């Protein structure tokens, strides 16, 4: 991108000229930096802008806010940063700083610094490019570490020895892989070697930050890029050992199973090509998580992973706890892991309505996501096989539609509620109410009675004495 293009782009941003003039009046220098500049060179539009102030960042932000008449300024004086929104733009100001690190923490000692100090502390060459928005050289691109060439070559490398970069702040290891995954860039060999050598240092990083980077990898258009870098560098073993353990193939006699890690990478990519739903992508990542624990070799049959879907589902809660993931997503991921083999088991014309009904009720409003996962789980290289498997899912979904139309099941709820059961049977809340309710639901799912209030009520009258007379 040449200077004219850059100036045109900058002039499209409504406030840049205004703060440029303000900076001139105030006698401070300001520059665009960070992801905004990187993405401008990549011709990618983005609305969050980092502004480097040579001087006091929050002070200049306050003056800019006044000038632009924005009243949503937030100051982080301790960090020397400030933020406001203007039109559709998120604007972040940061004062130039110099950082020095000690070994125990990723939080450096920070002092005010020059433009050079600030650029030198940045993590990757592609993140060191700055654009002046000062009157005298407006639009000038300052590229001390050949970041533009590295963007062209699609490569992530550090401006200084990566061993120092990563030793100072090991989070940068994950940032390298995350940028590679987001931008579909390669990672320089020296970065891989340093990441491998210093991976244990990631233990000083808080789980929240690690998880944040991992989720950003999962959000990227082809997450396998980041996942494989994590694996190859040995970093995955430190930050997500349960996924690392999926790797490897064992052979016995003529049987070998496929490498579950690389299969998982494919499944995650397949899901990601269909949906941005991060939790569906996460479910893909963990769907086979219990395969190592359930692996068994059976003579004459080969490798089996019996029950891995149920055992995997039971591992999800601890995974969420350990990796500080949002608890309200546990049930969703559990359900997808638990049911991921179910639809294929139902792929036959002979399967009964009631088996289909059970799937509909158990999957509930997650059924479409479940089928997306199941389809993504087909990673055979044999095109005929893939087509046949996909057709099987079409068949299951056709049956689902038929049964749903028959009994409007997707949001299944027992037609007779608990309080009505208590009234009719004249019993207090307790175990019996639950048993009677479950009995009615089973009768509907088995197709014994239709899914209507009248039928369910009549059925209640028929079965109630059996429960009332027993001493459960
Ligand atoms: P994105 O916003 O797309 O995640 P970004 O490059 O803007 O990417 P940010 O985390 O927003 O990344 O940080 C802005 C800039 O600050 C980066 O481009 C980089 O120059 C610098 N930076 C951020 N975090 C670090 C770090 N841990 N070590 C060194 N420099 C960093
Ligand atoms: Mg940013």
């Amino acid at each position: 991108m040449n200077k004219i293009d850059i100036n045109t782009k900058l002039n499209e941003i409504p406030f840049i000229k205004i703060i440029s003039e303000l900076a001139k009046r105030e006698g401070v220098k300001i520059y665009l930096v960070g992801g905004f500049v990187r993405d401008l060179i990549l011709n990618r539009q983005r609305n969050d802008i980092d502004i480097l102030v040579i001087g006091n960042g929050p002070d200049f932000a306050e003056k800019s806010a006044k000038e632009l008449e924005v009243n949503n300024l937030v100051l982080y004086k301790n960090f020397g940063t400030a933020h406001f929104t203007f039109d559709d733009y998120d604007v972040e100001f940061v004062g130039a700083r110099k950082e020095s690190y000690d070994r125990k923490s990723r939080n450096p000692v920070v002092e005010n610094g020059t433009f050079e100090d600030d650029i030198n502390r940045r993590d990757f060459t592609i993140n060191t490019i700055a654009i002046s928005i000062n009157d005298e050289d407006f639009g000038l691109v300052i590229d001390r570490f050949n970041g533009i060439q590295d963007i062209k070559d699609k490569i992530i490398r550090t401006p200084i020895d990566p061993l120092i970069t990563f030793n100072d702040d090991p989070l940068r290891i994950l940032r390298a892989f995350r940028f590679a995954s987001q931008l579909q860039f390669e990672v320089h060999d020296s970065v891989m070697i340093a990441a491998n050598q210093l991976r244990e240092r990631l233990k000083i990083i808080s789980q929240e930050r690690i998880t944040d980077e991992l989720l950003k990898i999962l959000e990227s258009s082809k997450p396998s890029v980041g996942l494989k870098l994590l694996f190859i560098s040995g970093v995955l073993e430190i930050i997500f050992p349960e996924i690392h353990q999926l790797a490897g193939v064992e052979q016995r006699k003529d049987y070998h199973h496929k490498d579950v890690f690389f299969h998982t990478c494919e499944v995650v990519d397949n899901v990601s090509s269909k949906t941005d739903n991060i939790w569906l992508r996460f479910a893909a990542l963990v769907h086979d998580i219990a395969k190592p624990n359930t692996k068994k070799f059976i003579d004459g049959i080969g490798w089996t992973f019996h029950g891995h879907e149920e055992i995997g589902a039971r591992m999800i809660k601890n995974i969420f706890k350990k990796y500080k993931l949002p608890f309200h997503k546990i049930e969703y991921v559990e359900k997808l892991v638990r049911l991921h083999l179910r639809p294929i088991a139902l792929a036959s014309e002979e399967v009964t309505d009631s088996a289909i009904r059970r799937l509909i009720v158990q999957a509930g409003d997650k059924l479409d996501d479940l089928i997306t996962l199941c389809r993504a789980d087909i990673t055979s290289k044999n095109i005929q096989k893939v087509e046949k498997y996909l057709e099987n899912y079409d068949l299951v979904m056709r049956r689902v539609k038929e049964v749903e139309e028959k009994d409007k099941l997707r949001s299944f709820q027992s037609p007779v509620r608990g309080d009505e059961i208590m009234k009719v049977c004249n019993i207090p809340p307790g175990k019996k109410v639950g048993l009677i309710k479950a009995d009615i639901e089973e009768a509907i799912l088995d197709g014994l009675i239709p899914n209507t209030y009248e039928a369910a009520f009549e059925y209640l009258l028929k079965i109630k004495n059996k429960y009332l007379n027993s001493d459960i």
Side-chain angles (χ1 to χ4, degrees):
M1 189 174 273
N2 62 37
K3 193 164 177 203
I4 300 166
D5 289 339
I6 286 180
N7 276 336
T8 316
K9 289 269 183 202
L10 297 186
N11 287 331
E12 283 166 11
I13 304 169
F15 58 89
I16 295 281
K17 273 278 163 171
I18 301 172
I19 60 168
S20 171
E21 277 157 27
L22 175 69
K24 189 177 177 192
R25 287 201 303 278
E26 294 292 324
V28 293
K29 300 277 178 235
I30 55 173
Y31 300 86
L32 302 179
V33 288
F36 176 81
V37 175
R38 189 186 63 230
D39 286 358
L40 188 74
I41 291 161
L42 281 165
N43 228 338
R44 294 190 190 193
Q45 179 87 25
R46 63 190 282 173
N47 291 355
D48 59 318
I49 302 185
D50 292 319
I51 295 175
L52 174 64
V53 181
I54 315 304
N56 189 317
D59 259 13
F60 185 73
E62 254 178 322
K63 288 177 180 141
S64 302
K66 212 178 258 163
E67 187 83 9
L68 295 166
E69 296 179 4
V70 297
N71 47 21
N72 56 36
L73 175 75
V74 186
L75 294 171
Y76 305 94
K77 286 216 162 126
N78 291 345
F79 296 99
T81 64
H83 172 267
F84 62 66
T85 59
F86 182 83
D87 282 359
D88 289 340
Y89 291 91
D90 269 321
V91 194
E92 176 118 13
F93 293 83
V94 55
R97 56 169 76 170
K98 189 182 162 110
E99 295 179 344
S100 38
Y101 288 84
D102 75 43
R103 257 191 77 78
K104 282 193 204 60
S105 136
R106 68 174 287 268
N107 299 322
V109 178
V110 178
E111 320 160 55
N112 293 337
T114 61
F115 173 81
E116 281 75 20
D117 290 333
D118 194 280
I119 294 300
N120 291 345
R121 76 173 174 89
R122 291 176 181 264
D123 46 7
F124 305 109
T125 57
I126 60 167
N127 290 345
T128 59
I129 311 162
I131 299 177
S132 166
I133 46 172
N134 299 297
D135 185 52
E136 66 274 16
D137 54 4
F138 191 89
L140 177 73
V141 179
I142 305 156
D143 180 17
R144 294 182 171 272
F145 295 103
N146 275 328
I148 295 179
Q149 189 59 44
D150 286 345
I151 290 178
K152 283 196 186 126
D153 295 342
K154 297 178 176 283
I155 186 126
I156 313 277
R157 76 168 98 214
T158 51
I160 54 168
D161 182 349
L163 286 168
I164 299 173
T165 302
F166 293 162
N167 193 44
D168 282 349
D169 176 4
L171 182 70
R172 293 168 180 162
I173 297 173
L174 301 185
R175 286 174 57 89
F177 299 158
R178 182 258 284 191
F179 286 123
S181 207
Q182 286 176 328
L183 303 167
Q184 305 207 26
F185 279 20
E186 290 196 7
V187 169
H188 193 268
D189 284 349
S190 63
V191 168
M192 280 308 267
I193 293 167
N196 174 263
Q197 272 184 33
L198 292 170
R199 64 204 167 118
E200 294 279 346
R201 292 273 293 148
L202 277 161
K203 291 183 175 154
I204 65 164
I205 304 289
S206 75
Q207 187 57 52
E208 286 82 352
R209 283 182 187 272
I210 291 177
T211 298
D212 195 40
E213 294 296 332
L214 190 66
L215 292 181
K216 282 185 181 160
I217 288 176
L218 272 186
E219 274 165 7
S220 66
S221 57
K222 199 175 170 212
S224 65
V225 174
L227 293 172
K228 287 180 188 171
L229 289 168
L230 287 171
F231 175 70
I232 294 162
S233 62
V235 169
L236 195 60
E237 196 174 359
I238 308 287
I239 67 159
F240 208 148
E242 297 85 349
I243 300 295
H244 173 87
Q245 271 167 31
L246 300 178
V249 179
E250 224 178 301
Q251 173 121 19
R252 220 181 275 183
K253 296 180 185 156
D254 284 338
Y255 299 98
H256 66 272
H257 59 82
K258 59 182 162 190
D259 183 301
V260 183
F261 173 72
F262 288 99
H263 163 71
T264 296
C265 284
E266 266 186 80
V267 181
V268 173
D269 279 354
N270 289 345
V271 164
S272 304
S273 71
K274 300 282 178 222
T275 174
D276 289 338
N277 177 348
I278 180 80
W279 300 107
L280 183 45
R281 292 174 176 210
F282 189 83
L285 180 68
V286 296
H287 79 285
D288 278 343
I289 199 144
K291 274 201 168 172
N293 309 352
T294 54
K295 184 163 103 176
K296 246 201 199 121
F297 184 80
I298 299 179
D299 266 333
I301 294 180
W303 293 100
T304 63
F305 303 91
H306 187 68
H308 75 272
E309 67 285 12
E310 179 57 36
I311 293 172
R314 291 187 199 159
M315 287 167 71
I316 298 303
K317 196 180 270 167
N318 279 336
I319 296 270
F320 268 68
K321 266 193 205 149
K322 180 171 168 193
Y323 297 115
K324 297 215 156 58
L325 292 159
F327 280 10
H328 67 281
K329 293 293 172 190
I330 293 178
E331 205 191 314
Y332 173 82
V333 175
E334 264 174 3
K335 189 167 265 186
L336 293 184
V337 174
R338 175 169 288 122
L339 296 177
H340 82 268
L341 295 181
R342 183 73 69 80
I344 201 59
L346 301 180
S348 137
E349 292 287 358
E350 283 87 64
V351 162
T352 59
D353 277 8
S354 69
I356 297 282
R357 247 180 226 122
R358 276 171 204 282
L359 173 71
I360 298 172
V361 169
Q362 281 184 1
D365 58 358
K366 316 314 185 268
L367 185 57
D368 293 326
D369 289 355
L370 177 65
I371 296 294
T372 303
L373 174 61
C374 291
R375 287 175 175 277
D377 201 9
I378 306 169
T379 59
S380 165
K381 295 284 165 280
N382 178 333
I383 298 173
Q384 269 121 24
K385 260 194 187 168
V386 171
E387 269 174 17
K388 192 176 138 255
Y389 291 160
L390 287 174
E391 270 169 29
N392 281 337
Y393 287 123
D394 291 340
L395 169 67
V396 174
M397 286 314 272
R398 263 203 314 279
R399 291 290 315 276
V400 163
K401 287 230 163 58
E402 274 168 30
V403 175
E404 266 181 347
E405 262 157 40
K406 255 191 233 164
D407 22 275
K408 310 231 171 333
L409 272 173
R410 194 69 79 106
S411 55
F412 179 77
Q413 263 189 340
S414 175
V416 181
R417 296 206 324 267
D419 48 3
E420 192 159 6
I421 295 172
M422 291 189 279
K423 219 163 83 195
V424 172
C425 301
N426 197 18
I427 50 173
K431 209 169 165 189
K432 274 189 188 175
V433 184
L435 289 172
I436 294 172
K437 198 161 162 233
D439 192 333
I440 298 171
E441 287 169 4
E442 288 290 308
I444 295 168
L445 292 175
D446 284 337
L448 234 77
I449 58 169
N451 183 18
T452 63
Y453 174 78
E454 290 74 25
F457 190 79
E458 204 176 301
Y459 184 75
L460 166 65
L461 297 179
K462 208 161 83 194
I463 61 164
K464 73 178 177 41
N465 285 339
K466 184 170 88 196
Y467 289 93
L468 297 177
N469 297 336
S470 79
D471 33 52
I472 306 154

